[in-house]
């Protein structure tokens, strides 16, 4: 009986741990982003993706193109010509980000991640939106945050108005 009860407990409880914390809001991720840009995929070679910078939204970098290794959380591979909202992670505690990018964010896109995140820009009803992004500052309630898409213009505004919260540890 104990074994059966324990089996039921683990079958019900453990999967819920994977969903215990939702992905961070866009504004939460942007506080950790020293660099933010809109980029266009120019090439995909195996696990590497190349992006051309279309516009810098925060922290004008020296590069006008990037080549990243695709890392974890790849819902789908990027396609040549697609536009992405791209931002660095990890400057606040760990120095320069690694030369890798995730095409989504979740628990890995939180405190310990030290790479880049790129979220696809899609056009719906003639409005450019950031796929899989949500914001608490742009909506009136938590429920609305998960239902209301973040537009590219709103994302750019969050990047420009929000501040990079540098907390580098000595």
């Amino acid at each position: 009986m104990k074994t059966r009860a324990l089996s039921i407990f683990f079958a019900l409880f453990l999967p819920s741990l994977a969903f215990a914390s939702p992905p961070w809001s866009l504004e939460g991720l942007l506080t950790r982003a020293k660099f933010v840009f809109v980029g266009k995929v120019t090439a995909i070679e195996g696990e590497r993706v190349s992006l051309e910078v279309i516009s810098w939204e925060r922290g004008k970098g020296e590069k006008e193109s990037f080549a990243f290794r695709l890392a974890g959380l790849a819902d789908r591979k990027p396609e040549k010509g697609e536009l992405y909202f791209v931002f660095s992670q990890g400057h606040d505690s760990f120095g320069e980000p690694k030369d890798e990018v995730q095409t989504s964010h979740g628990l890995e896109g939180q405190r310990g991640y030290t790479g880049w995140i790129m979220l696809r820009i899609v056009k719906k009803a003639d409005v450019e939106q950031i796929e899989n992004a949500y914001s608490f500052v742009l909506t009136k309630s938590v429920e609305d945050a998960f239902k209301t898409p973040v537009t590219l213009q709103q994302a750019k505004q969050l990047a420009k108005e929000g501040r990079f919260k540098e907390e580098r540890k000595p």
Side-chain angles (χ1 to χ4, degrees):
M1 184 69 172
K2 272 187 184 179
T3 306
R4 187 173 185 197
L6 233 62
S7 296
I8 291 170
F9 171 78
F10 284 118
L12 295 173
F13 179 73
L14 289 180
S16 68
L17 289 178
F19 303 104
S21 175
W24 278 22
S25 64
L26 187 56
E27 61 271 6
L29 291 166
L30 289 175
T31 61
R32 299 188 66 234
K34 187 174 181 179
F35 298 106
V36 180
F37 67 90
V38 173
K40 182 178 183 178
V41 176
T42 56
I44 298 132
E45 297 171 11
E47 293 301 311
R48 301 224 28 108
V49 61
S50 298
L51 294 143
E52 171 190 352
V53 176
I54 302 298
S55 64
W56 284 101
E57 304 305 326
R58 179 189 290 170
K60 174 128 174 63
E62 298 170 11
K63 297 180 180 180
E64 290 304 316
S65 64
F66 289 85
F68 296 115
R69 181 183 64 79
L70 286 169
L73 292 177
D75 300 341
R76 56 179 286 286
K77 273 199 170 185
E79 295 180 18
K80 190 173 179 179
E82 288 182 328
L83 294 177
Y84 282 84
F85 190 70
V86 185
F87 46 95
S88 61
Q89 296 286 276
H91 296 278
D92 58 342
S93 297
F94 306 106
E96 295 302 308
K98 290 183 265 184
D99 186 24
E100 69 178 36
V101 68
Q102 294 180 162
T103 58
S104 184
H105 59 89
L107 295 178
E108 261 314 294
Q110 293 183 13
R111 183 91 181 126
Y113 182 64
T114 59
W116 295 76
I117 296 175
M118 58 189 250
L119 301 176
R120 189 165 65 126
I121 300 168
V122 294
K123 200 168 205 172
K124 293 184 180 175
D126 291 331
V127 177
E128 291 178 307
Q129 300 173 1
I130 308 299
E131 194 172 62
N132 298 323
Y134 67 92
S135 170
F136 292 123
V137 299
L138 299 173
T139 57
K140 295 181 181 181
S141 72
V142 172
E143 290 112 17
D144 286 347
F146 293 105
K147 294 182 211 168
T148 308
V150 176
T151 68
L152 177 58
Q153 285 309 110
Q154 290 170 324
K156 286 179 175 184
Q157 198 66 29
L158 286 172
K160 286 185 186 342
E161 289 177 358
R163 66 181 182 87
F164 167 58
K165 189 171 116 182
E166 187 165 10
E167 297 176 359
R168 185 170 290 175
K169 297 175 183 170

